[in-house]
């Protein structure tokens, strides 16, 4: 009888998955970062009013100036926005300079850490900063409004 009990117990333990059974993994993509560059006094968008031209915009990796950074320029409802969608997919520190006609408008830094816990992958941010310009962050839309003198 003891042998039979031991055999049944052994079968039960072998059929158990001692690792966490996640079923379907969950995945949370990193947030995108969206910017609107406006005049400090009038709050007019400087791309919409023609002061800046999209062809003159470069986003440069400060750590390696030979590399430009991919961005999406959104023209919608008379509002021009710059969107970054490729930060935070991995653990990284990104330091960027937003330049128009080779003149830096502002600098943007993100220290992102990609994590996995309880079968879910997600990104946490140790630092998100805007330098060399005043700005307002709209907490509802997530849009950084960069104020240019």
């Amino acid at each position: 009888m003891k042998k039979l009990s031991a055999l049944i117990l052994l079968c039960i333990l072998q059929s158990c998955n001692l690792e966490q059974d996640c079923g379907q993994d969950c995945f949370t993509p990193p947030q995108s970062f969206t910017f609107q560059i406006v005049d400090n006094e009038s709050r007019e968008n400087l791309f919409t009013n023609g002061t800046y031209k999209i062809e003159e915009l470069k986003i440069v990796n400060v750590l390696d100036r030979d590399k430009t950074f991919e961005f999406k320029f959104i023209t919608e409802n008379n509002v021009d926005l710059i969107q970054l969608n490729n930060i935070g997919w991995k653990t990284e520190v990104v330091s960027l300079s937003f330049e128009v006609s080779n003149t830096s408008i502002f600098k943007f830094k993100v220290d992102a850490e990609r994590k996995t816990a309880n079968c879910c992958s997600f990104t946490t941010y140790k630092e998100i900063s805007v330098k060399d310009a005043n700005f307002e962050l709209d907490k509802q839309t997530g849009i950084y409004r960069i104020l240019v003198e």
Side-chain angles (χ1 to χ4, degrees), residues 28-140:
T28 304
Q31 74 181 62
S32 62
F33 296 96
T34 306
F35 304 90
Q36 182 180 33
I37 300 178
V38 301
D39 180 81
N40 187 43
E41 290 184 25
S42 69
R43 296 296 201 260
E44 274 188 287
N45 186 302
L46 295 175
F47 286 98
T48 304
N49 74 11
T51 301
Y52 294 156
K53 299 193 180 344
I54 181 60
E55 302 81 34
E56 299 171 342
L57 175 65
K58 272 193 319 188
I59 301 177
V60 179
N61 181 337
V62 174
L63 304 174
D64 185 354
R65 292 207 49 86
D66 292 332
K67 292 184 182 177
T68 55
F69 203 80
E70 260 185 64
F71 65 91
K72 181 178 180 181
F73 193 80
I74 302 168
T75 300
E76 200 172 276
N77 298 327
N78 228 13
V79 176
D80 294 317
L81 302 171
I82 303 161
Q83 189 173 65
L84 307 178
N85 295 314
N86 45 358
I87 297 174
W89 290 97
K90 59 184 179 182
T91 297
E92 62 186 335
V93 175
V94 177
S95 188
L96 305 172
S97 176
F98 285 65
E99 300 178 0
V100 175
S101 299
N102 295 320
T103 301
S104 180
I105 305 302
F106 69 98
K107 292 191 174 51
F108 182 66
K109 182 179 180 183
V110 177
D111 185 350
E113 183 177 3
R114 194 71 184 164
K115 294 181 174 183
T116 302
N118 299 323
C119 301
C120 293
S121 61
F122 56 94
T123 304
T124 59
Y125 298 94
K126 296 178 183 176
E127 177 185 0
I128 300 172
S129 64
V130 174
K131 295 185 179 171
D132 300 338
N134 292 324
F135 71 96
E136 299 167 346
L137 174 58
D138 184 325
K139 293 190 188 268
Q140 288 185 335

